[in-house]
Amino acid sequence: AFGQTLQFHEHVFLRFLGLDKVPSPKKFQPVPSILKRIFQAQEEAASTGISKDLCYVKELGVRGNILRLLPDQGSFLYSESLSHASCLQKLLSFNLSAIGDEEQLTMAQLGLDLGPNTYYNLGPELELSLSLVQTEPHVIDQATPKMGKMFTLQSVPWPQGVLHFNLLDVAKRNNDPHKNLGLFLEIVVKGGRALGENFQLEATCARLRRSLHTSLLVVTLHPEQCRSPSRKR
Amino acid sequence: RAAVSTSKASCKSLCHRHQLFINFRDLGWHKWIIAPKGFMANYCHGECPFSLTISLNSSNYAFMQALMHSVDPEVPQAVCIPTKLSPISMLYQDNDDNVILRHYEDMIVDECGC
């Protein structure tokens, strides 16, 4: 009986933490540097007794008290039918279901880490484009991609290093029933030159596919936990 | 001498902050909380006698309750509770492999009162 009471109390507290049950992650994810920095700044402020507005993320310049780094669950597209000028095609898929209905989205930033800058020697031959996919990613047939409606969000010539895209409006408008945000990322060779014509370019594209790391940083504000001081109990 | 030692003993039992370290490993939460490993949460415990309600960081209500207790023992004594709390930040991982940083208010007891 004591164990059951303990479990009940634990469950209630976990709900307060915004969790349905005790998480059991299969493996620990690396903690992104931005979250580490914010956490350390908070710990420092606490140790010095400085009171800090917990509902404002100074490091990101937005209101919010919950920061999530969502891993990309999408996959690369490989197909004979893909454009021969395509260096990389990837479907990005982010599960936004962990965000509670009561939470207000204040930031959604896509981070694309393309690895070390390897394009300096190549010149401005590549172009990155990011599109919104309005269909469920698991429906996509990898052999013959049918991605429904696509809306180009941004195009970046000569992409390199770490790129950030503001997807706040896109995430806010996302009305997918499964709360999945689907994006299509493509890096193409400018001018439509075939990859096979340039061995160096082909090797760079292969390296790019290996080193690409994508994630979505989402900041939300829980109104009940971020009340104005006058309304606090 | 006897009076002094009695007074010391009762001082110990008066409402004040006690140290309490919450170790997430003890709760089995270390499997999903990345940081911190634990924190000094503290707790409040002790008596709130009427004679000391003013000096024990008491609310007006505690004073009135203590006063009523002295008149009518059916009314319970004023209780020792946190009067100032501070937040902590927690970095953890959920079942969807999301890494989450969240701030939680009122997790550390800084001060106690009646």
Side-chain angles (χ1 to χ4, degrees):
Chain A
F2 175 73
Q4 278 183 343
T5 311
L6 200 68
Q7 272 188 352
F8 173 74
H9 286 176
E10 185 183 43
H11 178 71
V12 171
F13 189 71
L14 288 171
R15 290 289 296 271
F16 165 74
L17 295 181
L19 298 161
D20 290 331
K21 56 181 178 177
V22 178
S24 54
K26 286 150 209 89
K27 57 168 186 173
F28 266 122
Q29 294 290 326
V31 178
S33 58
I34 179 71
L35 295 191
K36 223 182 267 182
R37 242 188 357 256
I38 296 168
F39 177 78
Q40 284 166 350
Q42 177 57 36
E43 288 235 300
E44 262 174 48
S47 66
T48 52
I50 301 166
S51 69
K52 206 178 155 199
D53 181 2
L54 290 178
C55 296
Y56 178 71
V57 189
K58 195 178 85 180
E59 291 79 357
L60 301 171
V62 293
R63 299 264 308 145
N65 68 324
I66 309 164
L67 293 89
R68 292 183 177 88
L69 196 89
L70 311 180
D72 171 27
Q73 296 172 348
S75 51
F76 285 100
L77 298 177
Y78 298 100
S79 169
E80 291 299 316
S81 64
L82 295 180
S83 159
H84 65 294
S86 198
C87 177
L88 175 156
Q89 285 193 336
K90 192 180 186 201
L91 188 81
L92 311 180
S93 174
F94 297 101
N95 182 0
L96 307 181
S97 64
I99 300 169
D101 292 335
E102 68 285 0
E103 293 176 40
Q104 295 165 8
L105 200 61
T106 58
M107 182 177 167
Q109 187 187 66
L110 175 71
L112 293 182
D113 187 352
L114 303 170
N117 294 342
T118 50
Y119 313 118
Y120 290 112
N121 301 330
L122 298 169
E125 293 184 61
L126 298 176
E127 185 168 321
L128 179 150
S129 71
L130 185 71
S131 311
L132 175 67
V133 180
Q134 286 199 328
T135 189
E136 290 170 52
H138 68 263
V139 172
I140 293 170
D141 176 355
Q142 298 232 347
T144 53
K146 292 173 192 166
M147 282 176 274
K149 282 186 179 177
M150 284 216 305
F151 302 94
T152 303
L153 297 168
Q154 210 166 336
S155 198
V156 180
W158 201 10
Q160 53 186 299
V162 181
L163 301 172
H164 293 114
F165 297 89
N166 179 2
L167 298 181
L168 180 61
D169 290 338
V170 173
K172 273 184 176 173
R173 283 201 307 266
N174 182 42
N175 52 8
D176 180 86
H178 299 103
K179 294 196 171 180
N180 192 80
L181 179 64
L183 300 159
F184 179 65
L185 174 72
E186 184 172 33
I187 296 178
V188 294
V189 182
K190 277 179 122 179
R193 268 203 296 146
L195 277 183
E197 292 170 14
N198 188 332
F199 177 74
Q200 193 188 5
L201 199 57
E202 201 167 0
T204 300
C205 290
R207 198 160 54 236
L208 201 57
R209 283 191 291 269
R210 281 197 302 273
S211 61
L212 178 72
H213 182 77
T214 50
S215 59
L216 187 72
L217 178 63
V218 174
V219 182
T220 62
L221 184 132
H222 197 295
E224 277 184 24
Q225 291 159 12
C226 287
R227 287 172 292 186
S228 59
S230 58
R231 288 182 57 202
K232 273 172 74 175
R233 70 180 188 279
Chain B
R1 270 190 197 158
V4 169
S5 76
T6 311
S7 159
K8 274 185 183 171
S10 61
C11 269
K12 272 188 179 177
S13 65
L14 292 178
C15 171
H16 71 280
R17 191 181 70 165
H18 298 254
Q19 285 199 336
L20 169 66
F21 184 76
I22 293 185
N23 189 341
F24 289 133
R25 183 170 283 276
D26 294 341
L27 300 168
W29 290 11
H30 64 291
K31 291 170 188 165
W32 55 278
I33 294 179
I34 302 163
K37 302 288 174 210
F39 67 103
M40 191 63 85
N42 305 324
Y43 69 94
C44 299
H45 185 68
E47 291 170 20
C48 291
F50 171 63
S51 55
L52 287 166
T53 40
I54 290 171
S55 58
L56 286 174
N57 192 20
S58 306
S59 60
N60 291 337
Y61 177 76
F63 177 81
M64 294 308 294
Q65 186 172 342
L67 192 64
M68 282 305 293
H69 173 73
S70 62
V71 177
D72 177 6
E74 286 279 297
V75 177
Q77 273 200 332
V79 288
C80 180
I81 54 160
T83 51
K84 190 177 171 221
L85 294 144
S86 57
I88 63 161
S89 295
M90 274 166 58
L91 198 55
Y92 61 91
Q93 203 172 321
D94 69 8
N95 273 320
D96 295 323
D97 281 346
N98 302 323
V99 178
I100 301 164
L101 173 61
R102 198 163 170 164
H103 306 304
Y104 294 99
E105 279 193 275
D106 305 342
M107 296 287 276
I108 297 171
V109 175
D110 292 324
E111 289 173 14
C112 299
C114 296

